[in-house]
Amino acid sequence: LTFVFIGDGASAGSYGYTNSGYSVYEEENERLTESLRTKVSAIKSLSIEIGTEVKNQNKMLSEMDNDFDSAGGLLGATMGRLRTLSRGSQTKLLCYMMLFALFVFFVIYWIIKLR
C-alpha cells in the first residue's frame, strides 16, 4: 500500500488524470456549456414570444369585454322597448310581430334570389 501526497513532488500523472484526459473533460464541459447556452437562448426567445402573445390576447379580451358590454346595453334597451310594447294592446303587438316576420321573410327571399 503506497500513499502519494501532493506536497511530496508527485508527478502530474498521480493526480488521477493526465493532461490529455483533463483537456478531454474540459472540451466536454465547453461543449455542454455551449449546448446549455443555446438551449437557454431558445427558452428566452420562446418566453419573450409567449409574453408578447399574452399581451395581445389580453388586449383582445379587453376589446371583447367592451363589445359585450355595449351589446348588453343594446339588448337591455331592446328588452325595455319590448316591455313597453307588451304593455300596449295585444292586437298592436301581434301586428308588429307579423310585420317583422314578413320583413325578415322578404329579406331572406331576396338574398336567396340574388344567388
Side-chain angles (χ1 to χ4, degrees):
L1 185 63
T2 307
F3 291 100
V4 177
F5 294 101
I6 294 174
D8 290 342
S11 68
S14 65
Y15 286 114
Y17 58 87
T18 60
N19 285 339
S20 63
Y22 177 71
S23 66
V24 168
Y25 289 130
E26 195 173 292
E27 289 172 8
E28 179 72 13
N29 281 343
E30 290 295 323
R31 186 183 61 78
L32 291 174
T33 302
E34 186 59 36
S35 173
L36 184 62
R37 187 175 292 125
T38 303
K39 290 175 183 176
V40 167
S41 175
I43 289 173
K44 179 183 175 184
S45 65
L46 184 62
S47 65
I48 289 171
E49 289 176 17
I50 288 173
T52 304
E53 185 65 26
V54 166
K55 287 178 186 175
N56 290 339
Q57 293 293 326
N58 282 338
K59 181 181 174 187
M60 190 182 328
L61 283 173
S62 176
E63 291 172 0
M64 283 179 59
D65 187 38
N66 293 338
D67 291 343
F68 279 124
D69 284 343
S70 65
L74 181 63
L75 186 58
T78 303
M79 292 302 291
R81 288 188 200 122
L82 280 175
R83 274 190 226 107
T84 305
L85 277 177
S86 67
R87 289 185 197 133
S89 70
Q90 296 298 326
T91 308
K92 194 185 246 186
L93 178 63
L94 185 60
C95 182
Y96 284 140
M97 294 295 274
M98 292 299 286
L99 286 174
F100 178 73
L102 192 62
F103 174 74
V104 170
F105 173 75
F106 279 121
V107 168
I108 291 173
Y109 176 76
W110 183 67
I111 290 172
I112 291 172
K113 189 78 170 173
L114 288 178
R115 283 183 156 195

